[in-house]
Amino acid sequence: MFRATVVAALFGVALVGPAHASTTAPALDTSKPTAAQIQRIHADLADHRTYSELSQGDRAQVVNALSRISGTLGDDAVLSSLHPTAQVEVVNDQELVNTLLAKARADSRLVCRREKLTGSNRAQTVCMTVAERDAARERSMEAMRKTGFSQPENRP
């Protein structure tokens, strides 16, 4: 009985795992025509909302990588028709774009929590992006370091 339960649980996890992974599609897929994808990414970058957490340096890297990809692939070329060296360069640029945009998308995710604000016993809903929460935590840690407080030590 126990073995059947474990097998059923593992089978359920195996079914859920791939479905969840497929919901986060890469921003750029060179196995499909790239011109429309590159235009969409440029439009998303231009609206300053979709990838708002992307730093200026990362934004410049994405734009440069996209221009290299479109220059190498052109409008109708497919990755398999390129020289192997060019294929490696395109795939490296594709991974750079996908990595930077996926991180920016994750940092732009809005998280809401019920918190008691300082001076109040009433909980309020506070919504911030992941990047805003990280920046607030970093500012708090810096203020603690400046005032002489230290982080609690990890004790076994």
Side-chain angles (χ1 to χ4, degrees):
M1 180 67 180
F2 176 73
R3 181 180 283 169
T5 305
V6 171
V7 170
L10 290 175
F11 184 69
V13 169
L15 288 177
V16 172
H20 176 68
S22 66
T23 60
T24 56
L28 182 63
D29 184 3
T30 54
S31 66
K32 299 175 183 171
T34 58
Q37 295 179 65
I38 291 174
Q39 288 175 350
R40 180 182 43 82
I41 293 171
H42 280 300
D44 288 345
L45 289 171
D47 74 7
H48 296 291
R49 284 190 330 252
T50 306
Y51 298 113
S52 63
E53 305 301 335
L54 199 61
S55 70
Q56 291 299 325
D58 289 346
R59 185 178 297 271
Q61 283 185 340
V62 168
V63 169
N64 290 337
L66 290 174
S67 66
R68 285 191 303 268
I69 290 171
S70 61
T72 304
L73 279 178
D75 290 335
D76 54 351
V78 291
L79 189 62
S80 60
S81 68
L82 296 176
H83 186 271
T85 305
Q87 286 181 2
V88 169
E89 291 171 359
V90 169
V91 169
N92 286 341
D93 284 337
Q94 174 190 0
E95 284 302 311
L96 174 70
V97 168
N98 288 338
T99 300
L100 292 174
L101 295 183
K103 183 176 180 342
R105 190 179 307 124
D107 286 347
S108 297
R109 187 173 45 93
L110 190 65
V111 177
C112 296
R113 294 186 183 158
R114 297 284 294 165
E115 298 176 356
K116 289 183 181 176
L117 299 179
T118 304
S120 174
N121 286 329
R122 246 179 64 206
Q124 295 181 347
T125 302
V126 178
C127 297
M128 286 190 257
T129 64
V130 172
E132 289 171 338
R133 284 197 185 275
D134 289 345
R137 182 175 44 251
E138 189 59 38
R139 284 192 305 272
S140 297
M141 297 296 283
E142 186 62 30
M144 295 282 281
R145 280 190 282 269
K146 285 182 179 178
T147 58
F149 290 100
S150 62
Q151 292 181 339
E153 297 177 12
N154 292 335
R155 296 189 178 131

